[in-house]
Amino acid sequence: KFNDFPQDFLWGAASAAYQVEGGWDADGKGPSVWDLFTKLPGKTFAGSNGDVAVDHYHRMEEDVALMAEMGLKAYRFSVSWPRIYPTGRGEVNEAGLAFYEKLIDILLAHQIEPVLTLYHWDLPQALQDEYGGWEDRRIIEDFERYCVTLYQRFAGKVKYWVSLNEQNYNLTNAYQLGTHPPAVQDRKRFFAANHIAFLANARVIKAFRQHVPGGLIGPSFAYSPAYPASCDPKDMLAYENAEEFTNLWWLDAYCFGRYPQAALAYLRENGEAPEILPGDLELLREGTPDYIGVNYYYTLTYTDNPLGGQTMQRINTTGKKGTTPPSGIPGLYKTAPNPHLETSNWDWAIDPTGMRIALRRLSSRYGLPLMITENGLGEFDKLAAGDRVHDDYRIDYLRSHVKACQEALQDGVELLGYCAWSFTDILSWLNGYQKRYGFVFVERDEQGGSLRRLKKDSFFWYQSVIASQGKQ
Ligand code: BGP
């Protein structure tokens, strides 16, 4: 027997500006780092880019009508910084603000709670060019100015806010794997950029308290809880190392205003620790979140990695199963397959119990409310006869994860909502349009295609889950 979901539980779906909007230069928008990066040869699957994406910028009313039909209680979207400040700062672009205001008003008219993400990776290119983006402390002030512009405009309309989306995943790709802009592979610069992002995160949370009374704000973290490959103490130590280096480095900085001790000691020894100036940690402690946004897709299993062993590796961006190499830090940890779990075509372990574990770990360590801000299954969907998409594999995935939320509620976790990734099909940053996540199929070839919206089987399934408050 499970606890019922609370009456005000936010049954939601999520997206991000670059992945859905298109209209990349519409109405005064400036270029983001992704607008340029995706045009460089070999950076994304089949050279896909978000110039058109699924054209949500021009089809927003149609998309929200589908959300209303589904009965969605919340919609998480991100604001594109270069729509608001085309060069990152200076004159505000009223047309950009007007687009999001219209979206928010239409959502509210349908009783759909807007969940607004301030930053989902589309940094204004001008700030990357001028001072190197997240590697320079000047970004803190520019980011705060942009955020305060949104606070002032939307306080009173928007209650739930996400500060930074997946700082951990984005900057790991950007500064360790070299797979997101600016495509660097340098661990010292990686930790330096992260430290500055933590400071920016804390500053905008502090400012939020003045401008959005009654609102709630927190970062969304890409949480892949670590498992040890065995109970061999060597594997247990590898798991502890991985948990510090891949999770607690961010979570403890956000919520406690400090870095985990063993990881910090290791980085200091290696000359890779970030420069912590007087006042930095105090700022982090003044800008802790109201809740933690959890983006959960899979768990990772770790084993011992001797010196001279496995280093960080690129991720699977093809959907060819079994092609993901192990990845790690020599002397600390490396990933290992988990024989107990099935994987998706992208080698992501399907692990609903891992989500329950994730929610419990976060809730008991930080004592904060949580919101699942992303969870879903990316697959190759096929259009079947009668314009149907029979995505029973997605329904299975989502059903088991919704059940894990229910179990976590029973475990005493304060869970505000569940936002499936994603509402419509979207551009997957590195996997192009072939990796689909939506409840709504968007018919599209690489050139755009018809962009027709078609409801998948999972659309009707989620509709009934919402209508019955989680009974399935
Ligand atoms: C998260 C991002 C999302 C989304 C999702 C799926 O990391 O916040 O923007 O892309 O993962 O990832 P992918 O598209 O690589 O399958």
Side-chain angles (χ1 to χ4, degrees):
K1 182 188 171 299
F2 298 114
N3 279 358
D4 284 339
F5 284 93
Q7 269 314 312
D8 57 355
F9 192 75
L10 296 172
W11 294 104
S15 73
Y18 187 69
Q19 298 178 275
V20 294
E21 285 177 1
W24 79 277
D25 62 351
D27 300 331
K29 177 179 168 295
S32 80
V33 292
W34 280 91
D35 288 318
L36 275 82
F37 182 73
T38 52
K39 313 287 163 45
L40 300 172
K43 294 298 184 195
T44 59
F45 181 82
S48 314
N49 65 57
D51 286 4
V52 177
V54 296
D55 201 30
H56 173 72
Y57 190 75
H58 300 110
R59 293 165 198 246
M60 176 248 284
E61 276 127 319
E62 182 187 350
D63 289 341
V64 178
L66 284 164
M67 293 175 203
E69 181 185 339
M70 185 188 233
L72 225 53
K73 298 283 198 283
Y75 176 54
R76 174 179 174 232
F77 61 94
S78 79
V79 173
S80 165
W81 182 350
R83 274 198 203 288
I84 309 302
Y85 286 102
T87 56
R89 66 164 104 91
E91 283 275 295
V92 62
N93 177 33
E94 174 55 33
L97 281 172
F99 169 74
Y100 294 107
E101 179 138 63
K102 190 168 168 198
L103 169 62
I104 291 164
D105 287 344
I106 299 177
L107 289 169
L108 291 172
H110 288 289
Q111 283 95 45
I112 301 171
E113 191 78 48
V115 179
L116 188 158
T117 302
L118 292 160
Y119 183 77
H120 203 126
W121 311 351
D122 45 358
L123 180 73
Q125 180 67 39
L127 301 184
Q128 186 65 44
D129 294 340
E130 185 184 336
Y131 52 64
W134 292 105
E135 290 187 81
D136 191 292
R137 285 180 183 240
R138 277 174 281 181
I139 199 169
I140 300 171
E141 211 168 294
D142 289 335
F143 185 55
E144 185 177 19
R145 186 180 313 105
Y146 154 70
C147 292
V148 168
T149 301
L150 297 181
Y151 297 160
Q152 288 175 335
R153 184 76 167 228
F154 300 130
K157 289 188 176 179
V158 179
K159 178 173 177 194
Y160 297 95
W161 301 65
V162 174
S163 49
L164 299 178
N165 177 72
E166 295 196 359
Q167 176 192 329
N168 60 325
Y169 185 74
N170 176 221
L171 295 185
T172 298
N173 276 274
Y175 291 99
Q176 288 217 69
L177 299 169
T179 41
H180 285 186
V184 169
Q185 287 177 280
D186 182 324
R187 206 154 57 190
K188 189 171 169 61
R189 288 171 65 183
F190 168 71
F191 283 104
N194 271 294
H195 185 67
I196 292 169
F198 289 131
L199 298 172
N201 184 70
R203 270 278 283 274
V204 303
I205 290 180
K206 265 183 83 174
F208 184 83
R209 311 257 187 258
Q210 288 168 24
H211 293 280
V212 193
L216 296 176
I217 190 167
S220 276
F221 182 70
Y223 190 31
S224 296
Y227 289 170
S230 78
C231 54
D232 180 335
K234 279 195 200 140
D235 287 344
M236 289 302 295
L237 187 60
Y239 139 79
E240 294 278 347
N241 287 334
E243 191 67 9
E244 284 205 8
F245 273 92
T246 67
N247 290 323
L248 302 184
W249 189 267
W250 287 266
L251 292 163
D252 283 4
Y254 291 139
C255 302
F256 295 150
R258 61 163 196 253
Y259 291 121
Q261 167 190 308
L264 184 59
Y266 173 94
L267 294 175
R268 286 200 166 130
E269 183 69 27
N270 280 274
E272 294 169 337
E275 184 186 28
I276 302 174
L277 299 181
D280 283 359
L281 298 181
E282 288 73 11
L283 171 61
L284 296 190
R285 283 176 209 131
E286 288 163 7
T288 57
D290 298 312
Y291 73 97
I292 306 171
V294 185
N295 293 357
Y296 175 84
Y297 291 91
Y298 52 83
T299 47
L300 287 170
T301 301
Y302 293 95
T303 187
D304 183 37
N305 188 17
L307 284 173
Q310 190 66 53
T311 56
M312 291 287 278
Q313 290 302 314
R314 283 193 66 135
I315 46 183
N316 180 341
T317 56
T318 59
K320 288 200 185 87
K321 207 167 174 158
T323 60
T324 311
S327 183
I329 302 180
L332 294 177
Y333 61 83
K334 71 176 177 206
T335 56
N338 187 327
H340 305 285
L341 299 174
E342 299 283 325
T343 60
S344 76
N345 278 319
W346 274 260
D347 295 325
W348 292 13
I350 299 175
D351 186 6
T353 305
M355 184 153 99
R356 180 179 180 183
I357 292 169
L359 293 170
R360 285 166 53 150
R361 281 189 189 170
L362 294 175
S363 174
S364 67
R365 186 174 177 96
Y366 302 108
L368 289 171
L370 307 174
M371 189 194 299
I372 296 289
T373 39
E374 286 181 30
N375 173 242
L377 180 69
E379 270 306 333
F380 302 103
D381 293 340
K382 290 272 168 300
L383 196 54
D387 282 343
R388 300 295 302 271
V389 179
H390 303 301
D391 56 342
D392 44 302
Y393 38 89
R394 178 168 297 109
I395 295 174
D396 290 347
Y397 180 97
L398 294 172
R399 177 185 284 130
S400 61
H401 286 75
V402 166
K403 184 160 168 269
C405 289
Q406 220 164 9
E407 290 163 343
L409 282 163
Q410 195 175 38
D411 294 334
V413 170
E414 190 184 342
L415 186 63
L416 303 171
Y418 172 87
C419 293
W421 183 266
S422 51
F423 184 68
T424 60
D425 287 336
I426 43 117
L427 168 70
S428 169
W429 302 93
L430 302 178
N431 307 278
Y433 292 97
Q434 54 160 2
K435 191 179 188 187
R436 294 175 180 267
Y437 278 93
F439 294 116
V440 175
F441 186 88
V442 180
E443 189 178 51
R444 146 181 233 311
D445 54 33
E446 286 305 320
Q447 288 69 47
S450 75
L451 301 174
R452 263 193 320 156
R453 271 75 169 140
L454 302 165
K455 292 168 234 166
K456 302 182 191 177
D457 289 357
S458 58
F459 181 99
F460 301 103
W461 170 80
Y462 199 47
Q463 187 177 48
S464 78
V465 170
I466 299 171
S468 64
Q469 278 292 99
K471 303 220 168 41
Q472 336 177 20

